[in-house]
Amino acid sequence: MALDQSAHGATYAAPEKDLYDMGEMPPLGYVPGQMHAWTIRRERHGEPDKAFQLEVVDCPKPDSNEVLVLVMAAGVNYNGVWAGLGVPISPFDVHKADFHIAGSDAAGIVWAVGDKVKRWKVGDEVVIHCNQDDGDDEECNGGDPMFSESQRIWGYETPDGSFAQFTCVQSQQLMPRPQHLTWEESACYTLTLATAYRMLFGHEPHDLKPGQNVLVWGASGGLGSYAIQLINTAGANAIGVISDESKREFVMSLGAKGVINRNDFSCWGQLPTVNTPEYDIWLKEARKFGKAIWAITGKGVNVDMVFEHPGEATFPVSSLVCKKGGMVVICAGTTGFNCTFDVRYMWMHQKRLQGSHFAHLKQASAANNLMREQRLDPCMSECFDWADIPKAHTKMRRNEHKPGNMAVLVQAPVMGLRTFEDTLEASQNR
């Protein structure tokens, strides 16, 4: 039996084993040889219930600048769906490993550190942001690390995500965990919050300013719920778009100035050929949608920014309703990747089309500090057990999930735990 002292002063006895059950706490800092993980293999690409399978795999060992984290809970986001499907790219075409562990959000405890790691120690409670880079080019040293040729997303373009008992990450991926949140609440927000933060504040001179108007697609989802809160916190006005009236109250409660139900309009999908009767019908309906925005912002007041991520279904309308000199910023294409638009409204009205991809550490840290200061709500809508990871991704794939963000328990034995001591007690009383 090993007797360990945690960073929080809790002592506990635990055996040294080669493999631990889910929820069983090893001695602090002891790294077993193997671990439980939900894996994806190339030959299983498909729907989540097919792609995700439980396996016992070797436990990773941190390199000099890496940290091993005992994962207490993980977030569910579209990276897991895409990794399972192998779309838009197969993760195996990037990292070449035999299997893939998805999961690009996590909260956990530092369990081992490389010999060059200075900022973190065993026992620290952390959340993980999902950007990795090699750190040795000009973009990583004075530029924007998201522009580095070595930039990659952990849990999608790397083989070792959060749906495992342990995960190995670069030390620069770690940020302090908000102590007022549970493990599962801490695990559900980093990817979508940091992505939303960069979209809104990371693209000068179109960074969000007080008093501006922003159209937010998918306002009740993970990205949208944080966009609404960030816009409100910045003193700007969020106009949320929903697909179900039951979500209106939730979006308004986050601080939206107004909400539009897209089902009241029929201008979705790829743009019809310009100057055809079908285009004329589309344009009339799209302008009707624009007038619904004016009902919130004021007659003739178009939005300064469009917060885009559905892609194919919404992009033609987004590029139309954005104001002259405004920006459409897009980070995904959850409805499809073939985005179409009438370029006349783009060049003649001098609009900016901006792609945005996650965030670098400074942006992720700024967003995380807002959460630590309790100025944002994690909006966790649902938490799943470890065994239900495929089910959670199926719900997301079918757009059947509740408003907000989803999490899954990994090593945390039950929901509602906030401290290392609580976790130890719950683990020993399983």
Side-chain angles (χ1 to χ4, degrees), residues 59 79 90 132 140 160 169 204 241 273 295 384 428:
C59 191
N79 276 0
S90 169
Q132 288 192 358
C140 296
D160 47 1
V169 298
E204 296 179 344
V241 184
T273 301
F384 294 81
Q428 293 166 350

Side-chain angles (χ1 to χ4, degrees), residues 181-197:
L181 299 181
T182 64
W183 289 114
E184 58 272 15
E185 289 171 334
S186 300
C188 77
Y189 69 82
T190 303
L191 184 144
T192 45
L193 174 59
T195 299
Y197 188 95

Side-chain angles (χ1 to χ4, degrees), residues 345-375:
Y345 291 96
M346 184 65 68
W347 94 66
M348 294 182 71
H349 291 177
Q350 301 175 75
K351 301 176 185 181
R352 177 180 181 181
L353 169 57
Q354 175 66 52
S356 194
H357 188 47
F358 190 60
H360 55 60
L361 174 57
K362 189 169 184 179
Q363 292 164 338
S365 181
N368 190 57
N369 285 339
L370 290 174
M371 188 66 73
R372 294 176 67 204
E373 293 165 4
Q374 302 186 43
R375 296 171 67 184

Side-chain angles (χ1 to χ4, degrees), residues 5-276:
Q5 183 77 23
S6 83
H8 304 273
T11 58
Y12 67 102
E16 294 185 356
K17 297 164 57 175
D18 194 55
L19 177 67
Y20 291 86
D21 293 336
M22 297 305 304
E24 183 182 6
M25 292 288 284
L28 183 66
Y30 174 75
V31 180
Q34 294 185 304
M35 65 178 183
H36 296 282
W38 282 97
T39 68
I40 297 168
R41 294 185 180 267
R42 185 186 288 272
E43 63 271 17
R44 295 202 303 263
H45 271 325
E47 297 299 325
D49 58 348
K50 171 189 174 185
F52 287 88
Q53 297 292 328
L54 275 172
E55 294 189 42
V56 173
V57 299
D58 290 340
C59 191
K61 305 294 189 294
D63 206 343
S64 294
N65 290 302
E66 293 180 332
V67 173
L68 188 72
V69 175
L70 181 69
V71 180
M72 303 307 295
V76 179
N77 49 65
Y78 231 87
N79 276 0
V81 175
W82 281 330
L85 293 171
V87 174
I89 59 172
S90 169
F92 298 101
D93 292 337
V94 182
H95 58 61
K96 314 297 183 184
D98 291 335
F99 60 86
H100 179 78
I101 300 172
S104 298
D105 257 328
I109 302 169
V110 173
W111 217 250
V113 298
D115 57 17
K116 293 183 179 179
V117 174
K118 306 300 182 186
R119 294 176 60 224
W120 305 100
K121 64 183 183 301
V122 172
D124 285 345
E125 296 184 10
V126 295
V127 292
I128 304 173
H129 80 73
C130 66
N131 181 57
Q132 288 192 358
D133 56 66
D134 291 347
D136 60 355
D137 60 20
E138 61 273 19
E139 292 294 352
C140 296
N141 294 274
D144 186 334
M146 294 306 296
F147 296 160
S148 170
E149 289 296 320
S150 67
Q151 186 276 325
R152 55 195 176 271
I153 296 296
W154 163 72
Y156 188 69
E157 294 168 298
T158 74
D160 47 1
S162 59
F163 299 147
Q165 288 174 299
F166 293 91
T167 189
C168 196
V169 298
Q170 295 177 340
S171 64
Q172 61 85 16
Q173 289 180 254
L174 302 185
M175 301 182 295
R177 181 176 80 90
Q179 294 297 307
H180 68 286
L181 299 181
T182 64
W183 289 114
E184 58 272 15
E185 289 171 334
S186 300
C188 77
Y189 69 82
T190 303
L191 184 144
T192 45
L193 174 59
T195 299
Y197 188 95
R198 181 180 174 92
M199 290 174 74
L200 294 169
F201 301 105
H203 303 290
E204 296 179 344
H206 289 82
D207 48 329
L208 183 64
K209 299 172 179 66
Q212 290 186 333
N213 297 301
V214 184
L215 183 71
V216 179
W217 293 102
S220 67
L223 276 169
S225 62
Y226 292 133
I228 298 289
Q229 292 186 79
L230 288 169
I231 293 163
N232 188 46
T233 300
N237 305 310
I239 298 96
V241 184
I242 58 173
S243 58
D244 188 325
E245 276 301 315
S246 66
K247 300 174 181 178
R248 180 179 294 272
E249 184 178 347
F250 171 74
V251 174
M252 290 298 292
S253 73
L254 296 175
K257 184 175 182 180
V259 175
I260 301 171
N261 190 331
R262 64 177 173 85
N263 289 326
D264 294 336
F265 309 88
S266 55
C267 45
W268 315 123
Q270 291 189 347
L271 185 74
T273 301
V274 175
N275 294 332
T276 62

